[in-house]
Amino acid sequence: MLVGPISTTQEIYNSSLESNFTMGRGIVVQVDGNRLGLKPKNKNVGTIQQRALLYIDNQPVPQDTLMIADGLDVSGGGPYYLSWAPGLTPGVHIAVFQFSPDYGQTLEYTWQFIIEK
């Protein structure tokens, strides 16, 4: 799994929010669909969208800002690139990505990133 940003400026972050390029827009999480605990029939963008959540500083990021790009692995496993576009101010932020697989407990990954002035 890859995440971003780790460190960026306010100017670069704000300009990324206008992008239609999922891998370079706002907050990005790249996941391997084959490792998400999904049945083959559930390895699709619709299921990923329904089961992925992002929190920034303990606040849920609205799903209406979520965009997903599928890397189109022939096995149906992605990779999937998920990006959200929340407005953020300079400072240190805590991001929490959660995903509900078909089996078991919710998967969670937490990271910290900085937006500089």
Side-chain angles (χ1 to χ4, degrees), residues 38-54:
L38 295 175
K39 297 175 186 174
K41 69 177 183 174
N42 289 333
K43 291 180 184 176
N44 60 67
V45 170
T47 298
I48 302 295
Q49 184 169 8
Q50 291 173 356
R51 298 186 183 189
L53 296 171
L54 182 70

Side-chain angles (χ1 to χ4, degrees), residues 8-117:
T8 190
T9 66
Q10 184 77 59
E11 181 180 0
I12 291 170
Y13 179 78
N14 287 347
S15 73
S16 81
L17 300 180
E18 304 301 319
S19 177
N20 288 324
F21 182 59
T22 306
M23 293 174 262
R25 174 183 168 265
I27 308 298
V28 180
V29 176
Q30 182 263 320
V31 293
D32 179 345
N34 292 316
R35 302 182 92 188
L36 287 176
L38 295 175
K39 297 175 186 174
K41 69 177 183 174
N42 289 333
K43 291 180 184 176
N44 60 67
V45 170
T47 298
I48 302 295
Q49 184 169 8
Q50 291 173 356
R51 298 186 183 189
L53 296 171
L54 182 70
Y55 296 85
I56 302 293
D57 302 328
N58 295 318
Q59 298 297 313
V61 177
Q63 288 296 85
D64 64 352
T65 70
L66 175 59
M67 286 175 53
I68 301 176
D70 182 353
L72 298 176
D73 180 327
V74 292
S75 69
Y80 297 99
Y81 299 88
L82 296 79
S83 73
W84 288 264
L88 297 173
T89 58
V92 177
H93 299 279
I94 304 293
V96 178
F97 170 73
Q98 293 180 341
F99 188 81
S100 299
D102 288 337
Y103 308 102
Q105 297 179 347
T106 299
L107 305 173
E108 184 172 287
Y109 183 78
T110 302
W111 77 98
Q112 178 177 295
F113 63 96
I114 298 170
I115 296 179
E116 299 175 26
K117 288 184 180 186

